[in-house]
Amino acid sequence: MGLRLRRVNEILREVIAEECQNLKDPRIGFLTVTGVSASPDLRKAEVYYTVLGDEETEARTAEALAAAASRIRAAVGPQVRMKYLPELRFVPDPAVAHARRIEEILRNMDGQGGSR
């Protein structure tokens, strides 16, 4: 990934995170935008996020973000000067799920190891 695309991703992350904080949708839990990955042609961008809470909270937040994606995109437009404004797709950050899985495995190993 080139330096320009990395800078665009970071700028988009900052602006999108700010816009998400302004959303008044009660379905949205405690949300953190962790990253953005724009396509090389800048037509599409995946917005990675985490949300604090159980699976139901995560599902409600995902619904709310999908519904608000076009509104967030429109709000980002005036703040970011780009030839094309990317279509946004919100995706739960896979790193968080991966870390939870590792934590679960370690907990299970601790309980099965017996005494040393």
Side-chain angles (χ1 to χ4, degrees), residues 50-55 58 92-107:
T50 61
V51 64
L52 201 58
D54 57 13
E55 289 181 17
E58 291 174 6
D93 192 334
V96 174
H98 185 69
R100 283 184 189 156
R101 179 71 182 128
I102 290 172
E103 199 174 297
E104 181 183 325
I105 290 169
L106 291 173
R107 260 196 315 267

PDB file of all heavy atoms in Angstrom, residues 50-55 58 92-107:
ATOM      1  N   THR A  50     -15.039  -1.559  16.221  1.00  0.00           N
ATOM      2  CA  THR A  50     -15.334  -2.440  17.338  1.00  0.00           C
ATOM      3  C   THR A  50     -16.459  -1.799  18.124  1.00  0.00           C
ATOM      4  O   THR A  50     -16.648  -0.584  18.082  1.00  0.00           O
ATOM      5  CB  THR A  50     -14.120  -2.634  18.273  1.00  0.00           C
ATOM      6  OG1 THR A  50     -13.750  -1.374  18.816  1.00  0.00           O
ATOM      7  CG2 THR A  50     -12.953  -3.251  17.553  1.00  0.00           C
ATOM      8  N   VAL A  51     -17.201  -2.636  18.819  1.00  0.00           N
ATOM      9  CA  VAL A  51     -18.280  -2.131  19.665  1.00  0.00           C
ATOM     10  C   VAL A  51     -18.246  -2.916  20.966  1.00  0.00           C
ATOM     11  O   VAL A  51     -18.044  -4.131  20.966  1.00  0.00           O
ATOM     12  CB  VAL A  51     -19.652  -2.211  18.957  1.00  0.00           C
ATOM     13  CG1 VAL A  51     -20.048  -3.639  18.664  1.00  0.00           C
ATOM     14  CG2 VAL A  51     -20.723  -1.516  19.745  1.00  0.00           C
ATOM     15  N   LEU A  52     -18.392  -2.192  22.051  1.00  0.00           N
ATOM     16  CA  LEU A  52     -18.377  -2.811  23.366  1.00  0.00           C
ATOM     17  C   LEU A  52     -19.757  -3.376  23.664  1.00  0.00           C
ATOM     18  O   LEU A  52     -20.757  -2.692  23.471  1.00  0.00           O
ATOM     19  CB  LEU A  52     -18.012  -1.744  24.408  1.00  0.00           C
ATOM     20  CG  LEU A  52     -17.477  -2.222  25.734  1.00  0.00           C
ATOM     21  CD1 LEU A  52     -16.231  -3.071  25.539  1.00  0.00           C
ATOM     22  CD2 LEU A  52     -17.160  -1.029  26.615  1.00  0.00           C
ATOM     23  N   GLY A  53     -19.810  -4.627  24.083  1.00  0.00           N
ATOM     24  CA  GLY A  53     -21.099  -5.217  24.433  1.00  0.00           C
ATOM     25  C   GLY A  53     -21.229  -6.643  23.951  1.00  0.00           C
ATOM     26  O   GLY A  53     -20.292  -7.233  23.416  1.00  0.00           O
ATOM     27  N   ASP A  54     -22.442  -7.168  24.116  1.00  0.00           N
ATOM     28  CA  ASP A  54     -22.708  -8.553  23.736  1.00  0.00           C
ATOM     29  C   ASP A  54     -23.042  -8.648  22.244  1.00  0.00           C
ATOM     30  O   ASP A  54     -23.001  -7.655  21.515  1.00  0.00           O
ATOM     31  CB  ASP A  54     -23.842  -9.124  24.591  1.00  0.00           C
ATOM     32  CG  ASP A  54     -25.129  -8.310  24.496  1.00  0.00           C
ATOM     33  OD1 ASP A  54     -25.236  -7.449  23.600  1.00  0.00           O
ATOM     34  OD2 ASP A  54     -26.028  -8.541  25.318  1.00  0.00           O
ATOM     35  N   GLU A  55     -23.378  -9.867  21.815  1.00  0.00           N
ATOM     36  CA  GLU A  55     -23.675 -10.095  20.399  1.00  0.00           C
ATOM     37  C   GLU A  55     -24.878  -9.297  19.925  1.00  0.00           C
ATOM     38  O   GLU A  55     -24.912  -8.834  18.787  1.00  0.00           O
ATOM     39  CB  GLU A  55     -23.891 -11.590  20.141  1.00  0.00           C
ATOM     40  CG  GLU A  55     -22.613 -12.386  20.229  1.00  0.00           C
ATOM     41  CD  GLU A  55     -22.826 -13.870  19.954  1.00  0.00           C
ATOM     42  OE1 GLU A  55     -23.884 -14.237  19.398  1.00  0.00           O
ATOM     43  OE2 GLU A  55     -21.937 -14.654  20.295  1.00  0.00           O
ATOM     44  N   GLU A  58     -23.757  -5.815  19.264  1.00  0.00           N
ATOM     45  CA  GLU A  58     -22.975  -5.807  18.028  1.00  0.00           C
ATOM     46  C   GLU A  58     -23.887  -5.854  16.803  1.00  0.00           C
ATOM     47  O   GLU A  58     -23.667  -5.134  15.832  1.00  0.00           O
ATOM     48  CB  GLU A  58     -22.001  -6.982  18.006  1.00  0.00           C
ATOM     49  CG  GLU A  58     -20.880  -6.848  19.020  1.00  0.00           C
ATOM     50  CD  GLU A  58     -19.999  -8.077  19.105  1.00  0.00           C
ATOM     51  OE1 GLU A  58     -20.168  -9.028  18.305  1.00  0.00           O
ATOM     52  OE2 GLU A  58     -19.133  -8.099  19.993  1.00  0.00           O
ATOM     53  N   PRO A  92     -17.109  -5.341  11.137  1.00  0.00           N
ATOM     54  CA  PRO A  92     -16.510  -5.536  12.461  1.00  0.00           C
ATOM     55  C   PRO A  92     -15.030  -5.872  12.305  1.00  0.00           C
ATOM     56  O   PRO A  92     -14.652  -6.648  11.428  1.00  0.00           O
ATOM     57  CB  PRO A  92     -17.284  -6.715  13.046  1.00  0.00           C
ATOM     58  CG  PRO A  92     -18.551  -6.781  12.261  1.00  0.00           C
ATOM     59  CD  PRO A  92     -18.225  -6.257  10.891  1.00  0.00           C
ATOM     60  N   ASP A  93     -14.198  -5.275  13.127  1.00  0.00           N
ATOM     61  CA  ASP A  93     -12.755  -5.482  13.041  1.00  0.00           C
ATOM     62  C   ASP A  93     -12.422  -6.942  13.339  1.00  0.00           C
ATOM     63  O   ASP A  93     -12.671  -7.416  14.447  1.00  0.00           O
ATOM     64  CB  ASP A  93     -12.041  -4.560  14.027  1.00  0.00           C
ATOM     65  CG  ASP A  93     -10.542  -4.498  13.792  1.00  0.00           C
ATOM     66  OD1 ASP A  93      -9.969  -5.463  13.249  1.00  0.00           O
ATOM     67  OD2 ASP A  93      -9.945  -3.470  14.148  1.00  0.00           O
ATOM     68  N   PRO A  94     -11.854  -7.673  12.378  1.00  0.00           N
ATOM     69  CA  PRO A  94     -11.555  -9.092  12.601  1.00  0.00           C
ATOM     70  C   PRO A  94     -10.460  -9.310  13.643  1.00  0.00           C
ATOM     71  O   PRO A  94     -10.379 -10.370  14.245  1.00  0.00           O
ATOM     72  CB  PRO A  94     -11.124  -9.599  11.229  1.00  0.00           C
ATOM     73  CG  PRO A  94     -10.698  -8.385  10.478  1.00  0.00           C
ATOM     74  CD  PRO A  94     -11.483  -7.245  11.040  1.00  0.00           C
ATOM     75  N   ALA A  95      -9.629  -8.320  13.882  1.00  0.00           N
ATOM     76  CA  ALA A  95      -8.555  -8.472  14.867  1.00  0.00           C
ATOM     77  C   ALA A  95      -9.131  -8.681  16.269  1.00  0.00           C
ATOM     78  O   ALA A  95      -8.574  -9.427  17.073  1.00  0.00           O
ATOM     79  CB  ALA A  95      -7.641  -7.255  14.849  1.00  0.00           C
ATOM     80  N   VAL A  96     -10.246  -8.040  16.558  1.00  0.00           N
ATOM     81  CA  VAL A  96     -10.858  -8.171  17.876  1.00  0.00           C
ATOM     82  C   VAL A  96     -11.398  -9.592  18.065  1.00  0.00           C
ATOM     83  O   VAL A  96     -11.182 -10.213  19.106  1.00  0.00           O
ATOM     84  CB  VAL A  96     -11.969  -7.125  18.077  1.00  0.00           C
ATOM     85  CG1 VAL A  96     -12.704  -7.349  19.377  1.00  0.00           C
ATOM     86  CG2 VAL A  96     -11.383  -5.730  18.023  1.00  0.00           C
ATOM     87  N   ALA A  97     -12.086 -10.114  17.068  1.00  0.00           N
ATOM     88  CA  ALA A  97     -12.606 -11.480  17.151  1.00  0.00           C
ATOM     89  C   ALA A  97     -11.449 -12.477  17.278  1.00  0.00           C
ATOM     90  O   ALA A  97     -11.531 -13.451  18.039  1.00  0.00           O
ATOM     91  CB  ALA A  97     -13.452 -11.804  15.928  1.00  0.00           C
ATOM     92  N   HIS A  98     -10.378 -12.222  16.554  1.00  0.00           N
ATOM     93  CA  HIS A  98      -9.203 -13.087  16.608  1.00  0.00           C
ATOM     94  C   HIS A  98      -8.597 -13.066  18.017  1.00  0.00           C
ATOM     95  O   HIS A  98      -8.252 -14.121  18.571  1.00  0.00           O
ATOM     96  CB  HIS A  98      -8.181 -12.631  15.561  1.00  0.00           C
ATOM     97  CG  HIS A  98      -6.990 -13.507  15.435  1.00  0.00           C
ATOM     98  ND1 HIS A  98      -7.052 -14.777  14.917  1.00  0.00           N
ATOM     99  CD2 HIS A  98      -5.699 -13.305  15.777  1.00  0.00           C
ATOM    100  CE1 HIS A  98      -5.860 -15.319  14.947  1.00  0.00           C
ATOM    101  NE2 HIS A  98      -5.017 -14.439  15.462  1.00  0.00           N
ATOM    102  N   ALA A  99      -8.487 -11.888  18.604  1.00  0.00           N
ATOM    103  CA  ALA A  99      -7.932 -11.773  19.961  1.00  0.00           C
ATOM    104  C   ALA A  99      -8.828 -12.477  20.978  1.00  0.00           C
ATOM    105  O   ALA A  99      -8.324 -13.149  21.892  1.00  0.00           O
ATOM    106  CB  ALA A  99      -7.768 -10.301  20.330  1.00  0.00           C
ATOM    107  N   ARG A 100     -10.143 -12.356  20.809  1.00  0.00           N
ATOM    108  CA  ARG A 100     -11.074 -13.046  21.715  1.00  0.00           C
ATOM    109  C   ARG A 100     -10.887 -14.555  21.622  1.00  0.00           C
ATOM    110  O   ARG A 100     -10.929 -15.268  22.622  1.00  0.00           O
ATOM    111  CB  ARG A 100     -12.514 -12.690  21.383  1.00  0.00           C
ATOM    112  CG  ARG A 100     -12.937 -11.346  21.872  1.00  0.00           C
ATOM    113  CD  ARG A 100     -14.402 -11.123  21.570  1.00  0.00           C
ATOM    114  NE  ARG A 100     -14.780  -9.755  21.848  1.00  0.00           N
ATOM    115  CZ  ARG A 100     -15.797  -9.143  21.281  1.00  0.00           C
ATOM    116  NH1 ARG A 100     -16.572  -9.781  20.419  1.00  0.00           N
ATOM    117  NH2 ARG A 100     -16.077  -7.902  21.586  1.00  0.00           N
ATOM    118  N   ARG A 101     -10.717 -15.043  20.413  1.00  0.00           N
ATOM    119  CA  ARG A 101     -10.538 -16.485  20.194  1.00  0.00           C
ATOM    120  C   ARG A 101      -9.254 -16.980  20.861  1.00  0.00           C
ATOM    121  O   ARG A 101      -9.240 -18.022  21.515  1.00  0.00           O
ATOM    122  CB  ARG A 101     -10.519 -16.786  18.691  1.00  0.00           C
ATOM    123  CG  ARG A 101     -10.325 -18.225  18.335  1.00  0.00           C
ATOM    124  CD  ARG A 101     -11.545 -19.068  18.668  1.00  0.00           C
ATOM    125  NE  ARG A 101     -11.268 -20.445  18.335  1.00  0.00           N
ATOM    126  CZ  ARG A 101     -11.434 -21.465  19.167  1.00  0.00           C
ATOM    127  NH1 ARG A 101     -11.958 -21.268  20.346  1.00  0.00           N
ATOM    128  NH2 ARG A 101     -11.129 -22.671  18.803  1.00  0.00           N
ATOM    129  N   ILE A 102      -8.173 -16.230  20.719  1.00  0.00           N
ATOM    130  CA  ILE A 102      -6.906 -16.603  21.349  1.00  0.00           C
ATOM    131  C   ILE A 102      -7.058 -16.608  22.863  1.00  0.00           C
ATOM    132  O   ILE A 102      -6.590 -17.527  23.554  1.00  0.00           O
ATOM    133  CB  ILE A 102      -5.777 -15.652  20.901  1.00  0.00           C
ATOM    134  CG1 ILE A 102      -5.448 -15.905  19.434  1.00  0.00           C
ATOM    135  CG2 ILE A 102      -4.538 -15.809  21.777  1.00  0.00           C
ATOM    136  CD1 ILE A 102      -4.488 -14.907  18.829  1.00  0.00           C
ATOM    137  N   GLU A 103      -7.731 -15.586  23.388  1.00  0.00           N
ATOM    138  CA  GLU A 103      -7.961 -15.497  24.826  1.00  0.00           C
ATOM    139  C   GLU A 103      -8.753 -16.707  25.326  1.00  0.00           C
ATOM    140  O   GLU A 103      -8.436 -17.299  26.355  1.00  0.00           O
ATOM    141  CB  GLU A 103      -8.739 -14.212  25.121  1.00  0.00           C
ATOM    142  CG  GLU A 103      -8.669 -13.739  26.535  1.00  0.00           C
ATOM    143  CD  GLU A 103      -9.341 -12.393  26.691  1.00  0.00           C
ATOM    144  OE1 GLU A 103      -8.878 -11.424  26.077  1.00  0.00           O
ATOM    145  OE2 GLU A 103     -10.338 -12.350  27.430  1.00  0.00           O
ATOM    146  N   GLU A 104      -9.767 -17.110  24.562  1.00  0.00           N
ATOM    147  CA  GLU A 104     -10.586 -18.268  24.920  1.00  0.00           C
ATOM    148  C   GLU A 104      -9.748 -19.541  24.934  1.00  0.00           C
ATOM    149  O   GLU A 104      -9.844 -20.358  25.850  1.00  0.00           O
ATOM    150  CB  GLU A 104     -11.746 -18.397  23.924  1.00  0.00           C
ATOM    151  CG  GLU A 104     -12.682 -19.541  24.182  1.00  0.00           C
ATOM    152  CD  GLU A 104     -13.761 -19.646  23.117  1.00  0.00           C
ATOM    153  OE1 GLU A 104     -14.205 -18.605  22.610  1.00  0.00           O
ATOM    154  OE2 GLU A 104     -14.144 -20.781  22.788  1.00  0.00           O
ATOM    155  N   ILE A 105      -8.915 -19.704  23.926  1.00  0.00           N
ATOM    156  CA  ILE A 105      -8.046 -20.887  23.843  1.00  0.00           C
ATOM    157  C   ILE A 105      -7.102 -20.925  25.038  1.00  0.00           C
ATOM    158  O   ILE A 105      -6.917 -21.975  25.664  1.00  0.00           O
ATOM    159  CB  ILE A 105      -7.259 -20.898  22.510  1.00  0.00           C
ATOM    160  CG1 ILE A 105      -8.217 -21.171  21.345  1.00  0.00           C
ATOM    161  CG2 ILE A 105      -6.130 -21.925  22.537  1.00  0.00           C
ATOM    162  CD1 ILE A 105      -7.616 -20.955  19.972  1.00  0.00           C
ATOM    163  N   LEU A 106      -6.512 -19.784  25.369  1.00  0.00           N
ATOM    164  CA  LEU A 106      -5.588 -19.733  26.504  1.00  0.00           C
ATOM    165  C   LEU A 106      -6.294 -20.044  27.816  1.00  0.00           C
ATOM    166  O   LEU A 106      -5.751 -20.744  28.673  1.00  0.00           O
ATOM    167  CB  LEU A 106      -4.907 -18.365  26.574  1.00  0.00           C
ATOM    168  CG  LEU A 106      -3.920 -18.071  25.452  1.00  0.00           C
ATOM    169  CD1 LEU A 106      -3.430 -16.634  25.529  1.00  0.00           C
ATOM    170  CD2 LEU A 106      -2.758 -19.048  25.473  1.00  0.00           C
ATOM    171  N   ARG A 107      -7.516 -19.532  27.968  1.00  0.00           N
ATOM    172  CA  ARG A 107      -8.291 -19.832  29.180  1.00  0.00           C
ATOM    173  C   ARG A 107      -8.572 -21.328  29.288  1.00  0.00           C
ATOM    174  O   ARG A 107      -8.451 -21.921  30.351  1.00  0.00           O
ATOM    175  CB  ARG A 107      -9.617 -19.062  29.172  1.00  0.00           C
ATOM    176  CG  ARG A 107      -9.591 -17.822  30.026  1.00  0.00           C
ATOM    177  CD  ARG A 107     -10.994 -17.307  30.308  1.00  0.00           C
ATOM    178  NE  ARG A 107     -11.856 -17.280  29.149  1.00  0.00           N
ATOM    179  CZ  ARG A 107     -12.029 -16.230  28.349  1.00  0.00           C
ATOM    180  NH1 ARG A 107     -11.393 -15.118  28.591  1.00  0.00           N
ATOM    181  NH2 ARG A 107     -12.827 -16.289  27.315  1.00  0.00           N
TER     182      ARG A 107
END
